[in-house]
């Protein structure tokens, strides 16, 4: 199957069957989403959602977080992976929002990546969810699923991202991230993927190889 055919079939399936796909992180505004995504690095969304309510209540805006004491932020997120680094990044990120962006979360990936602790994946997530920018964030789930399905042969997240964006129509890119991440989280898991119940098996390159063996 040619790659173009694979994209058409898989995106078509998701378009028909996963119209309401969205982030599982809980947030009310771009500032809260930015914090949640930063905390979610190497941590589950479930754990982040258990942690952020108290953090959001204590620091409802960039101005308050920028002035926060490290120990207070740390104590609120200590159940999250790498709390030391993340606490420092959160405070520094808020400070830069205040000093460089008038306390507003910027729209573009480039501006977002200028914030402390914000990498390309985090920037893409915030840009696509909050501003509907036509970008696709590639985390471990999206990277794994894209390569297994045959949507990309990229060896790095950036290479996979470029492949996905090249072959995915711009209007579908913001939701395509959610389609792939949720598929990887619940069906195409890292260990023991549920191939026998996967609705994409007929278009999956990895599954086709397994059947041939």
């Amino acid at each position: 199957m040619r790659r173009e055919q694979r994209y058409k079939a898989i995106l078509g399936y998701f378009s028909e069957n996963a119209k309401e796909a969205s982030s599982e992180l809980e947030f009310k505004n771009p500032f809260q989403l930015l914090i949640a995504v930063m905390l979610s690095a190497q941590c589950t969304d479930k754990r982040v959602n258990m942690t952020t309510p108290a953090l959001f209540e204590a620091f409802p805006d960039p101005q308050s977080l920028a002035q926060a004491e490290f120990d207070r932020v740390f104590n609120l997120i200590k159940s999250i992976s790498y709390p030391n680094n993340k606490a420092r990044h959160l405070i520094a990120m808020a400070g830069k929002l205040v000093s460089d962006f008038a306390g507003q979360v910027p729209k573009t990936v480039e501006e977002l990546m200028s914030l402390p602790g914000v990498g390309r994946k985090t920037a893409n997530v915030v840009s696509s969810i909050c501003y509907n920018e036509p970008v696709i964030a590639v985390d471990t789930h999206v990277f794994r699923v894209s390569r297994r399905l045959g949507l990309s042969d990229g060896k790095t997240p950036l290479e996979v991202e470029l492949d996905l964006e090249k072959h995915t129509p711009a209007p579908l890119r913001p939701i395509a991230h959610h389609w792939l991440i949720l598929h990887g989280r619940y069906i195409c898991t890292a260990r023991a993927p549920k191939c026998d119940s996967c609705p994409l098996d007929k278009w999956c390159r990895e599954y086709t190889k397994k059947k041939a063996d």
Side-chain angles (χ1 to χ4, degrees):
M1 177 181 291
R2 294 173 57 237
R3 181 164 293 177
E4 291 76 11
Q5 295 173 306
R6 205 180 300 275
Y7 268 91
K8 183 177 180 179
I10 292 171
L11 293 176
Y13 172 84
F14 281 131
S15 295
E16 287 296 320
N17 296 279
K19 297 178 181 179
E20 305 300 321
S22 62
S23 174
E24 294 186 315
L25 291 170
E26 297 172 359
F27 64 95
K28 294 181 180 178
N29 55 54
F31 178 59
Q32 290 187 355
L33 176 62
L34 177 55
I35 290 174
V37 179
M38 290 175 68
L39 292 176
S40 71
Q42 295 181 292
C43 187
T44 66
D45 287 1
K46 181 178 180 181
R47 171 57 60 184
V48 172
N49 289 337
M50 293 170 61
T51 303
T52 49
L55 185 66
F56 294 159
E57 183 177 1
F59 308 109
D61 50 47
Q63 291 79 7
S64 58
L65 182 55
Q67 298 173 5
E69 294 182 357
F70 169 84
D71 287 345
R72 190 175 182 205
V73 177
F74 174 85
N75 285 329
L76 288 170
I77 68 168
K78 61 185 178 182
S79 65
I80 296 284
S81 58
Y82 307 105
N84 279 288
N85 286 338
K86 290 180 180 179
R88 293 190 183 91
H89 285 154
L90 288 177
I91 295 170
M93 173 275 292
K96 193 167 180 67
L97 284 182
V98 173
S99 65
D100 292 12
F101 299 101
Q104 301 298 310
V105 175
K107 179 178 181 179
T108 70
V109 170
E110 291 72 21
E111 288 175 319
L112 284 161
M113 288 179 65
S114 74
L115 301 172
V118 177
R120 188 174 186 87
K121 185 211 77 172
T122 296
N124 279 350
V125 171
V126 174
S127 184
S128 65
I129 292 178
C130 293
Y131 304 114
N132 206 39
E133 288 294 290
V135 295
I136 298 179
V138 176
D139 68 353
T140 56
H141 295 298
V142 176
F143 184 81
R144 178 180 67 254
V145 169
S146 298
R147 287 170 53 85
R148 283 180 176 173
L149 288 175
L151 300 177
S152 175
D153 292 316
K155 294 180 173 58
T156 67
L158 179 57
E159 289 177 353
V160 171
E161 175 189 330
L162 294 176
D163 276 342
L164 292 173
E165 291 183 0
K166 176 181 178 182
H167 295 282
T168 302
L172 292 181
R173 290 175 196 167
I175 196 172
H177 162 74
H178 301 305
W179 288 337
L180 295 172
I181 195 173
L182 294 173
H183 189 71
R185 187 171 288 166
Y186 297 110
I187 297 178
C188 193
T189 52
R191 297 181 180 179
K194 302 175 178 65
C195 296
D196 291 340
S197 60
C198 177
L200 306 180
D201 59 351
K202 63 180 69 69
W203 308 300
C204 177
R205 183 174 61 184
E206 192 75 14
Y207 186 69
T208 301
K209 289 180 180 177
K210 287 182 180 179
K211 288 178 62 178
D213 293 340

